[in-house]
């Protein structure tokens, strides 16, 4: 076997070793979680300010991601680069804030330079390091130990397992805070209005329904032909049938049309009330659009009439409207 044929096997073996080392780095954190983690959670929950996450180098990249995760799960947070903090950005930090400082060695010069200034302002410090005996750990109000036995790098130099462990511990902190705050999927959607979950949870029927002249509707006294004209003109594949005071009394769809033509050879004198479907499925305008999707799926229908509490027609929607709104 030549050198070229050995390389893929060697790469796979190395990749598996990297994943095993990083997995061990995370599982090793579990046995070290103790009251200090609870202290960190309590410190943040009691704070009237924000969590300012800081670091440099690879720890800085992890710090930025942790700040983003905290902010999107109910804990106001932002990232400040430790080097930039020493050149003016320290003004972003107030006495009401909590500083979460990341450094695997715990000896980062950039962080140690600004720690006395942070302390002087009165802000609390949580240090997340791989060295409980480091200067940063000793200066912290709470220290979180993210130490690893070795890096996944074959040289044991490049931050690999240590950054994975720090990221996982940051996620654990964010999720613990999420749970303590009672943060739910609706809160998550409000923090992510541009995402698919935001569209599903924040879009209401009133946001996507057709209204006024775009809604097909005929009185229950209308002829069969009048109803056909309305269905054709409005292009929703149906028409609402209204009684006194614009209250919904029925619906007539394309499917009902086919069944009517099959069963009634003479339609010249037919009135719509004779062939409409009474008491149709309806939904209120304040309901979530996702609820409209569920209702249509459950009853295998393609259109819904939107009615107010008094039974009056206020709108209509179909599957195409929901697709356009990206609710489904």
């Amino acid at each position: 076997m030549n050198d070229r044929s050995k390389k893929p096997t060697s790469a796979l073996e190395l990749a598996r070793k990297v994943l095993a080392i990083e997995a061990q780095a995370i599982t090793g954190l579990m046995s070290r979680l103790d009251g200090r983690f609870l202290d960190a959670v309590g410190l943040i929950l009691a704070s009237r300010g924000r969590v300012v996450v800081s670091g440099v180098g690879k720890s800085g990249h992890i710090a930025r991601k942790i700040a983003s995760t905290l902010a999107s799960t109910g804990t106001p947070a932002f990232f400040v680069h430790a080097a930039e903090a020493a050149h003016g950005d320290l003004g972003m930090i107030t006495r009401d804030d909590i500083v979460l400082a990341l450094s695997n060695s715990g000896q980062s010069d950039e962080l140690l330079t600004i720690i006395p200034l942070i302390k002087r302002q009165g802000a609390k410090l949580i240090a997340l390091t791989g060295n409980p005996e480091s200067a940063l750990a000793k200066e912290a109000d709470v220290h979180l130990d993210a130490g690893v036995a070795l890096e996944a790098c074959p040289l044991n130099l490049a931050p690999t397992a240590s950054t994975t462990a720090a990221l996982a511990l940051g996620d654990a902190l964010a999720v613990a805070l999420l749970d303590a705050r009672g943060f739910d999927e609706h809160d998550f959607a409000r923090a992510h209005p541009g995402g698919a979950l935001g569209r599903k949870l924040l879009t209401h029927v009133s946001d996507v329904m057709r209204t006024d002249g775009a809604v097909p509707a005929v009185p229950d006294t209308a002829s069969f032909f009048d109803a056909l004209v309305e269905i054709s003109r409005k292009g929703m594949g149906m028409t609402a049938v209204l009684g006194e005071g614009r209250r919904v009394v029925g619906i007539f769809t394309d499917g009902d049309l086919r069944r009517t033509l099959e069963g009634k050879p003479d339609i010249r004198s037919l009135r719509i009330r004779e062939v409409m479907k009474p008491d149709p499925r309806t939904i209120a305008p304040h309901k979530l659009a996702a609820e409209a999707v569920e209702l249509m799926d459950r009853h295998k229908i393609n259109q819904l009439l939107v009615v107010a509490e008094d039974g009056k027609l206020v709108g209509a929607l179909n599957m195409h409207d929901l697709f356009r709104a990206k609710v489904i």
Side-chain angles (χ1 to χ4, degrees):
M1 186 178 293
N2 58 35
D3 290 342
R4 181 178 292 179
S5 63
K6 288 180 181 178
K7 285 183 180 178
T9 302
S10 172
L12 285 174
E13 290 175 353
L14 182 59
R16 292 187 181 106
K17 184 176 180 181
V18 168
L19 293 175
I21 291 172
E22 299 214 7
Q24 290 166 9
I26 293 176
T27 55
L29 296 176
M30 296 169 63
S31 61
R32 298 204 301 274
L33 283 180
D34 53 23
R36 291 172 296 181
F37 183 84
L38 298 179
D39 291 341
V41 171
L43 205 60
I44 295 172
L45 288 175
S47 169
R48 293 181 299 173
R50 301 148 301 173
V51 178
V52 183
V53 194
S54 188
V56 294
K58 300 299 185 292
S59 291
H61 293 307
I62 299 301
R64 190 183 297 274
K65 193 276 178 184
I66 291 173
S68 177
T69 300
L70 287 167
S72 69
T73 53
T75 298
F78 64 92
F79 170 77
V80 170
H81 194 284
E84 297 297 333
H87 294 276
D89 283 0
L90 199 62
M92 298 180 181
I93 304 172
T94 73
R95 64 179 295 107
D96 294 324
D97 294 332
I98 304 292
V99 176
L100 174 59
L102 275 69
S103 169
N104 185 44
S105 69
Q107 299 294 148
S108 167
D109 288 339
E110 293 88 347
L111 282 171
L112 293 177
T113 297
I114 64 173
I115 294 307
L117 302 173
I118 290 170
K119 290 279 191 175
R120 192 176 304 161
Q121 281 183 303
K124 298 294 184 182
L125 173 65
I126 299 172
L128 195 159
T129 82
N131 182 4
E133 301 304 317
S134 64
L136 185 59
K138 291 180 178 178
E139 290 296 328
D141 296 286
V142 178
H143 175 248
L144 298 177
D145 184 1
V148 299
L150 73 164
E151 298 287 6
C153 164
L155 303 176
N156 198 31
L157 294 175
T160 45
S162 60
T163 49
T164 299
L167 180 61
L169 193 52
D171 285 344
L173 185 62
V175 172
L177 289 164
L178 173 154
D179 183 69
R181 296 182 192 280
F183 190 88
D184 62 18
E185 60 183 9
H186 295 283
D187 297 312
F188 189 88
R190 280 189 285 273
H192 300 75
L197 181 61
R199 285 192 295 273
K200 287 184 178 181
L201 293 179
L202 298 181
T203 303
H204 293 81
V205 168
S206 58
D207 298 323
V208 297
M209 70 184 189
R210 305 185 195 193
T211 60
D212 302 326
V215 180
V218 295
D220 58 357
T221 56
S223 70
F224 180 74
F225 286 107
D226 288 338
L228 293 188
V229 171
E230 184 71 352
I231 291 173
S232 177
R233 190 167 61 222
K234 300 299 175 60
M236 287 193 71
M238 65 87 187
T239 182
V241 182
L242 307 180
E244 190 176 339
R246 288 188 59 81
R247 287 178 173 79
V248 173
V249 295
I251 191 171
F252 189 77
T253 68
D254 284 343
D256 297 322
L257 170 60
R258 289 190 295 271
R259 286 184 287 273
T260 299
L261 294 176
E262 289 172 2
K264 294 185 181 294
D266 185 6
I267 58 174
R268 287 173 297 181
S269 61
L270 203 58
R271 314 304 291 181
I272 195 62
R273 69 160 71 94
E274 300 173 52
V275 289
M276 72 180 188
K277 187 179 298 177
D279 301 319
R281 305 286 176 188
T282 63
I283 194 167
H286 69 272
K287 293 289 187 178
L288 291 173
E291 295 178 81
V293 175
E294 190 279 329
L295 188 62
M296 294 162 82
D297 282 342
R298 177 155 43 96
H299 295 288
K300 296 180 172 55
I301 55 178
N302 294 318
Q303 307 98 348
L304 267 178
L305 301 179
V306 185
V307 301
E309 290 183 8
D310 58 4
K312 291 182 179 179
L313 182 71
V314 294
L317 75 164
N318 61 18
M319 281 292 186
H320 296 297
D321 300 319
L322 296 166
F323 275 119
R324 277 194 295 270
K326 298 183 179 179
V327 176
I328 51 176

